[in-house]
Amino acid sequence: MEKTYDPKKAESKWYAYWEENGYFHAEVDAEKRPFSIVIPPPNVTGELHIGHALDNTLQDILVRWRRMQGFNTVWIPGTDHAGIATQAKVEENIRKTEGKTRHDVGREEFLRRTWAWKERYGSRILQQLKRLGASLDWDRERFTMDEGCSKAVREVFVRLYEKGWIYRGNYIVNWCPECSTTLSDIEVEHQEGAGKLYHIKYPLSDGSGYLQIATTRPETMLGDTAVAVHPEDERYSHLIGKTAVVPLVDREVPIIADDYVDMEFGTGVVKITPAHDPNDFEIGMRHGLQQVQVIGQGAAMTEEAGRYAGLDRYQAREQIIRDLEQLGLLVKIEDHEHAVGHCYRCDTVVEPLVSKQWFVKMDELAKPAIAAVENGEVRFIPERFAKHYLHWMRNLRDWCISRQLWWGHRIPIWYCSGCGAEFASAGEPSQCPKCGSQEITQDPDVLDTWFSSALWPFSVFGWPDETPELKHFYPTTILVTGVDIIFFWVARMIVMGYEFMGEKPFDQVLIHGMVRDALGRAMSKSLGNGVDPIEAIDEYGADALRYSLVIGVAPGNDLRYIPEKVEAYRNFANKIWNASRFALMNLTDFNPRMQNMGSLALTTADYWILSRFEFTANEVTRFLERYDVGEAARVLYDFVWSELCDWYIELIKPRLYGKSGDETRYVAQYVLWYVLKGTLELLHPFMPFITEEIWQNLPHEGETIMLAPWPQPAGLSSPVHERAMHKVMEVITEIRTLRSEKHVPPGRRITAICQAEPEDLEILSQAQGEIMNLAGLEELILEEPGRTPEKCLSAVVEGINIFLPLAAMVDVEEEAARISKELEQARRELQRAEKNLQNEGFISKAPQHVVEKEKEKAELYRAQVARLEALLQELRD
């Protein structure tokens, strides 16, 4: 092994080796228990970001672990066509390079260019996943618009359509003026911000007065078709059934009663605009109100807006406020914090509009998906996310699935101009099935991206065909994903799984939190605090990045990305490398003869490390079984750094150097090899590259650590030896501490006296060589409790009295002079502080915090004087 570990060299070498030998690939094997995961398909135009790095590291850890346990493990890679995002990229490119729009180039040419864009950039993120070490089955790579997935999408649409659960109708939808398409409710991000609340007078039609309403969007008042009050609001009960006049458009509208109105908000009177507010739309449906659309799809005012037609919605707002003020109808304007919906792609403020769209009825579809989580058939980890899921699922609106885009799965609906028929087809029809006319046209819209990704757990295995893969690997074992797409994706996969497969798509859903910056802020382009994981891999190595992202992080919790933390786990990798390199230098003549561990003449240290290794292996397995990857990583880190590297290797160095004979050297070699090899196998899912590099240099069986058996309990647990070794380590640590306090040079050998009961003396006697070596002793005297040695530093640990004769450690006269000098200085400082505290002028005039600080100093120096006096007395006795 080279002197220093080179992550770049190891990563490129071993990933190519794994791929070339097909270690990631799994075939259907009925004799093996399956473990299957589908990747949350990243956008085809995307770049690997730090959230992807966390998500895929967690998946890879679970996949590598289960593969080593002997499961028939498959992890399906793939990408999502990402309708809005991809179309926006291509449109931007056409605009920048040619100054044209997609309409200028036409649908067919635009789609040709988009496929070319996908081929050019689509595999970029997958190549980046390889840099991370993701052991995906690349032979099974899928794309949400490949032939198989497209077939599944059309089949699902047609079945739901024929069942009556897909329909087209006018409904209020979220419209993005920038992307020129509808958005589902969960594609709208509500952002809190500073706004205004406008109080406006609406005159009563009979001239008897006016009603005062408050609105955040005065431009929508031009589309008002009612004014509403609560039916139990006594202030306005006499007005119900009468009419009011909408200012500026002079439209006479009814005053209606509806339970939706909040009597406590504002004046208890609200304007109703069915064409521009989801709640108003529902009220309008209940009361049969007219829908007047005054804002168009481009966010400009329509002809219905009268003299404001053509103005941008915000320009219209300003003009309307000026006009209301001139008419004396503007009462006041207040500052008002409220949430405004933005497009999740381009951040444009969304406009609610009534539009003819395609919808999926969700009431019946949701029932089995709700029951599955309620009865524990599908389990969320952590469990608290089940409550969020159930709350959302129990309050579902019908899902708007049509998008006014060109890139995506085109809606498989055709219209016949001959007989006016509308029909769905999973194929490519050439004529109308009702009248035989060939004058048929396909619906121009495409499906919501999430419609196809909702089928991902079964479409990737070949559904609707009953393939062997579908039978063997479905339902998948676990889904690993972020908290931000529980509703976008997770819920819809569960819905579709029950509807089309008759069972759940996965057993468990492991939710991880968000990766935030060092200040705890969400990462965003606007803040410029995003992290490119590839840059971190280039600087520190993939293993270091992976470990830093998972260690100590509980499922579902957010974590902070701190570069120093990645650097720390780069140092951890170097620690493993250096320890392994030392081990290999001392294993050059070693051959692990197949023999029973019990036949070896093990020392207390050997028994201890074997017991600690078994404990660690059991704990790592236990935490992984619970999907608590962060705790598994922490347990491993503590064992490797402290117990294996800092203690065991140091303890056995004299034996490895042959100072205690060949037989005990072989035993030390065997135990070191056994524990190091097993530790690398435990570490492999977390740090795949460095573990493969070292493992290949150790005596081993098999072609790759990836397929090495996961460490199993071997009956090596020994609480007796663990307790014994704990005493030995405490004694060594205490002697080292006392030496350090006296500034004893590391190379100076000293004498130590340990007084203990016979049982503990036996323990110390068996480890006498290790204690003397690691504590820097020339002599270790072991005796039962009795006389107290003179002129010694002393301490008590684990019931063992430790005495270190000062004469062997320091020059008594020189040390006494040094302590006397420190004592004199401390006494002067104490005298000064006490003098200040006895001074009435100081106490009365100085600020309170200064007085308190002086009191603290006095206490500090008083304690220092007492300690130094005790040390000086100890030297003189």
Side-chain angles (χ1 to χ4, degrees):
M1 286 171 58
E2 295 180 6
K3 188 173 182 180
T4 56
Y5 176 57
D6 183 349
K8 287 184 180 178
K9 185 177 177 181
E11 288 163 14
S12 59
K13 175 175 71 174
W14 291 117
Y15 202 92
Y17 174 75
W18 295 330
E19 243 191 310
E20 288 164 7
N21 286 278
Y23 296 138
F24 302 154
H25 182 64
E27 288 290 344
V28 172
D29 186 346
E31 299 300 313
K32 284 187 174 182
R33 184 179 172 188
F35 179 85
S36 54
I37 293 185
V38 294
I39 195 173
N43 288 353
V44 73
T45 60
E47 294 275 0
L48 188 69
H49 59 65
I50 203 69
H52 286 126
L54 169 63
D55 189 79
N56 288 284
T57 294
L58 287 170
Q59 291 176 79
D60 194 47
I61 288 169
L62 297 178
V63 166
R64 288 178 181 271
W65 165 55
R66 288 301 196 194
R67 190 184 286 121
M68 293 174 76
Q69 284 190 320
F71 284 73
N72 193 28
T73 305
V74 69
W75 183 16
I76 305 296
T79 47
D80 193 297
H81 64 279
I84 295 175
T86 306
Q87 177 155 318
K89 289 271 188 185
V90 178
E91 285 195 78
E92 182 183 10
N93 180 258
I94 293 172
R95 185 168 55 250
K96 283 183 176 179
T97 58
E98 303 175 42
K100 295 180 180 179
T101 69
R102 62 180 163 121
H103 300 284
D104 294 327
V105 300
R107 184 167 192 150
E108 187 175 338
E109 174 61 16
F110 180 81
L111 289 177
R112 187 193 67 77
R113 295 189 188 193
T114 309
W115 276 106
W117 181 279
K118 180 263 176 188
E119 292 303 319
R120 183 177 177 185
Y121 296 104
S123 63
R124 179 168 46 188
I125 196 168
L126 300 181
Q127 293 301 319
Q128 292 174 324
L129 286 172
K130 294 181 179 183
R131 290 288 313 276
L132 188 67
S135 58
L136 290 145
D137 189 342
W138 297 109
D139 294 336
R140 298 187 182 279
E141 183 184 338
R142 302 303 301 267
F143 174 53
T144 52
M145 280 177 62
D146 66 25
E147 186 177 346
C149 289
S150 296
K151 180 181 178 182
V153 166
R154 291 193 299 271
E155 184 69 25
V156 164
F157 185 98
V158 171
R159 289 192 194 184
L160 290 175
Y161 178 81
E162 291 177 348
K163 204 170 182 178
W165 287 1
I166 284 184
Y167 66 94
R168 190 165 68 140
N170 283 317
Y171 204 78
I172 190 111
V173 296
N174 307 294
W175 182 267
C176 175
E178 180 66 27
C179 297
S180 299
T181 185
T182 56
L183 302 172
S184 65
D185 288 346
I186 54 176
E187 290 172 315
V188 177
E189 295 180 346
H190 294 275
Q191 302 173 14
E192 288 287 338
K196 301 290 183 183
L197 192 62
Y198 303 88
H199 293 259
I200 303 167
K201 294 178 181 179
Y202 277 46
L204 296 171
S205 299
D206 60 10
S208 61
Y210 62 86
L211 289 171
Q212 183 178 316
I213 63 94
T215 180
T216 58
R217 305 184 66 213
E219 64 275 13
T220 64
M221 67 183 291
L222 307 177
D224 287 355
T225 55
V227 173
V229 297
H230 195 279
E232 297 176 7
D233 194 334
E234 295 179 357
R235 294 173 294 177
Y236 306 113
S237 57
H238 66 290
L239 295 177
I240 297 171
K242 294 187 177 183
T243 58
V245 177
V246 179
L248 305 178
V249 291
D250 295 329
R251 183 184 302 117
E252 197 169 304
V253 298
I255 300 170
I256 62 174
D258 196 279
D259 290 332
Y260 168 75
V261 179
D262 181 358
M263 290 187 287
E264 304 301 320
F265 180 76
T267 61
V269 184
V270 295
K271 57 190 278 309
I272 304 299
T273 321
H276 294 289
D277 182 275
N279 295 310
D280 291 4
F281 179 84
E282 298 292 344
I283 293 171
M285 295 292 283
R286 287 197 290 273
H287 295 271
L289 299 177
Q290 181 187 4
Q291 297 169 359
V292 178
Q293 186 170 327
V294 294
I295 303 175
Q297 293 182 350
M301 308 305 287
T302 68
E303 292 301 318
E304 293 281 5
R307 64 177 180 271
Y308 305 100
L311 291 177
D312 170 80
R313 54 184 166 174
Y314 298 123
Q315 292 174 332
R317 178 183 297 180
E318 293 173 5
Q319 186 60 52
I320 286 167
I321 293 305
R322 286 194 291 269
D323 291 347
L324 287 171
E325 199 167 20
Q326 287 181 359
L327 293 171
L329 297 177
L330 182 65
V331 180
K332 60 181 177 179
I333 303 174
E334 297 177 319
D335 290 332
H336 179 64
E337 287 282 330
H338 66 128
V340 178
H342 290 69
C343 174
Y344 82 116
R345 284 295 178 195
C346 68
D347 204 40
T348 301
V349 173
V350 167
E351 191 63 51
L353 297 177
V354 174
S355 176
K356 183 168 280 191
Q357 302 289 342
W358 287 97
F359 295 87
V360 177
K361 290 182 180 178
M362 295 303 297
D363 48 0
E364 291 300 319
L365 278 170
K367 288 178 180 177
I370 291 171
V373 174
E374 287 178 332
N375 63 28
E377 214 171 288
V378 175
R379 187 166 67 92
F380 277 83
I381 306 165
E383 290 182 4
R384 67 179 183 269
F385 290 107
K387 294 179 181 177
H388 300 300
Y389 167 89
L390 289 171
H391 175 75
W392 188 73
M393 290 293 286
R394 289 168 182 154
N395 295 278
L396 275 180
R397 285 171 53 182
D398 285 354
W399 176 14
C400 178
I401 56 170
S402 48
R403 299 289 181 270
Q404 288 64 55
L405 304 171
W406 287 352
W407 173 246
H409 294 278
R410 193 164 175 181
I411 291 176
I413 290 287
W414 279 260
Y415 307 102
C416 176
S417 58
C419 66
E422 170 192 293
F423 63 95
S425 175
E428 295 291 334
S430 58
Q431 61 184 39
C432 174
K434 289 188 177 180
C435 71
S437 171
Q438 296 183 352
E439 297 297 317
I440 58 174
T441 55
Q442 189 175 358
D443 193 295
D445 289 351
V446 300
L447 289 165
D448 176 12
T449 296
W450 300 100
F451 190 93
S452 53
S453 54
L455 319 181
W456 191 246
F458 53 87
S459 66
V460 296
F461 294 121
W463 188 93
D465 298 332
E466 293 186 10
T467 64
E469 287 81 3
L470 188 63
K471 184 178 179 181
H472 184 62
F473 290 118
Y474 187 94
T476 61
T477 312
I478 189 168
L479 177 78
V480 181
T481 192
V483 64
D484 53 330
I485 55 174
I486 291 176
F487 311 128
F488 278 99
W489 190 44
V490 179
R492 288 166 174 169
M493 283 190 289
I494 297 173
V495 164
M496 294 301 191
Y498 278 99
E499 176 63 19
F500 293 98
M501 293 298 297
E503 59 180 321
K504 59 192 174 184
F506 26 73
D507 299 322
Q508 293 132 339
V509 183
L510 176 60
I511 299 293
H512 61 75
M514 304 283 286
V515 184
R516 300 183 176 275
D517 69 8
L519 299 176
R521 302 173 300 177
M523 292 185 177
S524 67
K525 289 181 180 178
S526 59
L527 290 174
N529 60 348
V531 175
D532 182 351
I534 299 302
E535 289 184 7
I537 290 171
D538 286 340
E539 185 170 359
Y540 302 112
D543 291 329
L545 176 65
R546 288 165 63 110
Y547 220 85
S548 72
L549 289 173
V550 300
I551 187 168
V553 181
N557 287 6
D558 290 352
L559 66 138
R560 297 189 181 191
Y561 178 84
I562 303 170
E564 291 78 11
K565 187 178 177 183
V566 189
E567 185 178 6
Y569 293 103
R570 189 269 313 276
N571 296 341
F572 178 51
N574 290 339
K575 180 91 167 179
I576 296 166
W577 182 263
N578 292 335
S580 301
R581 187 168 176 270
F582 168 81
L584 285 163
M585 288 167 63
N586 288 278
L587 294 174
T588 52
D589 60 341
F590 171 72
N591 177 26
R593 302 188 298 268
M594 291 301 106
Q595 61 185 87
N596 190 299
M597 188 74 73
S599 68
L600 298 174
L602 302 173
T603 66
T604 299
D606 297 333
Y607 279 116
W608 168 75
I609 196 65
L610 290 168
S611 183
R612 294 305 301 159
F613 169 72
E614 181 134 315
F615 170 82
T616 301
N618 290 340
E619 282 292 276
V620 171
T621 302
R622 183 173 71 88
F623 282 122
L624 289 178
E625 294 281 2
R626 291 167 44 184
Y627 298 113
D628 194 343
V629 176
E631 274 302 283
R634 184 194 60 76
V635 167
L636 257 177
Y637 176 87
D638 291 346
F639 172 76
V640 172
W641 191 285
S642 177
E643 295 176 326
L644 177 58
C645 295
D646 285 358
W647 277 105
Y648 184 70
I649 289 177
E650 294 302 317
L651 284 163
I652 64 170
K653 278 182 176 178
R655 294 163 64 194
L656 291 174
Y657 298 156
K659 294 181 179 180
S660 304
D662 290 342
E663 185 57 33
T664 190
R665 177 171 181 265
Y666 175 78
V667 173
Q669 286 178 316
Y670 190 95
V671 174
L672 177 59
W673 164 78
Y674 178 89
V675 173
L676 178 58
K677 178 176 169 293
T679 301
L680 291 170
E681 288 159 358
L682 292 175
L683 271 168
H684 176 70
F686 303 86
M687 306 179 89
F689 295 109
I690 192 171
T691 52
E692 182 77 89
E693 179 74 23
I694 299 168
W695 189 88
Q696 292 284 355
N697 283 281
L698 279 172
H700 67 268
E701 292 181 349
E703 299 174 358
T704 172
I705 192 173
M706 271 184 60
L707 303 181
W710 183 253
Q712 297 293 317
L716 300 174
S717 179
S718 179
V720 171
H721 288 97
E722 286 200 36
R723 286 193 294 272
M725 196 63 206
H726 178 71
K727 289 178 183 288
V728 171
M729 291 160 67
E730 285 293 299
V731 167
I732 293 170
T733 300
E734 189 60 36
I735 294 173
R736 284 173 165 177
T737 301
L738 292 173
R739 288 178 61 116
S740 176
E741 287 178 354
K742 287 297 176 185
H743 308 288
V744 179
R748 179 180 292 179
R749 294 280 165 175
I750 64 171
T751 297
I753 303 165
C754 289
Q755 295 182 352
E757 297 301 323
E759 182 181 349
D760 286 343
L761 287 178
E762 179 62 24
I763 291 171
L764 298 181
S765 176
Q766 290 180 7
Q768 188 162 357
E770 287 94 338
I771 296 171
M772 292 180 66
N773 178 46
L774 293 188
L777 302 181
E778 182 180 44
E779 182 182 18
L780 175 61
I781 300 170
L782 302 176
E783 58 188 30
E784 292 188 18
R787 65 179 181 85
T788 301
E790 296 181 354
K791 292 189 177 181
C792 287
L793 287 180
S794 62
V796 180
V797 293
E798 296 288 322
I800 300 168
N801 296 310
I802 302 172
F803 301 97
L804 302 183
L806 282 167
M809 297 172 64
V810 296
D811 182 310
V812 175
E813 293 303 320
E814 186 179 303
E815 184 68 5
R818 185 185 67 80
I819 293 174
S820 295
K821 188 176 181 180
E822 284 187 28
L823 179 59
E824 185 182 346
Q825 176 67 23
R827 282 171 174 164
R828 280 200 301 271
E829 291 295 335
L830 175 60
Q831 187 178 16
R832 185 197 58 75
E834 287 178 334
K835 187 176 180 181
N836 278 340
L837 293 171
Q838 291 166 4
N839 184 337
E840 290 296 329
F842 174 78
I843 296 297
S844 61
K845 294 178 182 178
Q848 184 62 32
H849 74 276
V850 173
V851 175
E852 291 300 321
K853 190 72 175 174
E854 199 67 16
K855 288 180 180 178
E856 289 175 14
K857 286 181 182 178
E859 285 300 316
L860 180 68
Y861 290 126
R862 198 171 288 118
Q864 191 174 348
V865 165
R867 183 178 65 82
L868 291 169
E869 284 176 344
L871 285 173
L872 195 59
Q873 187 62 43
E874 198 174 55
L875 282 172
R876 288 171 176 168
D877 286 346

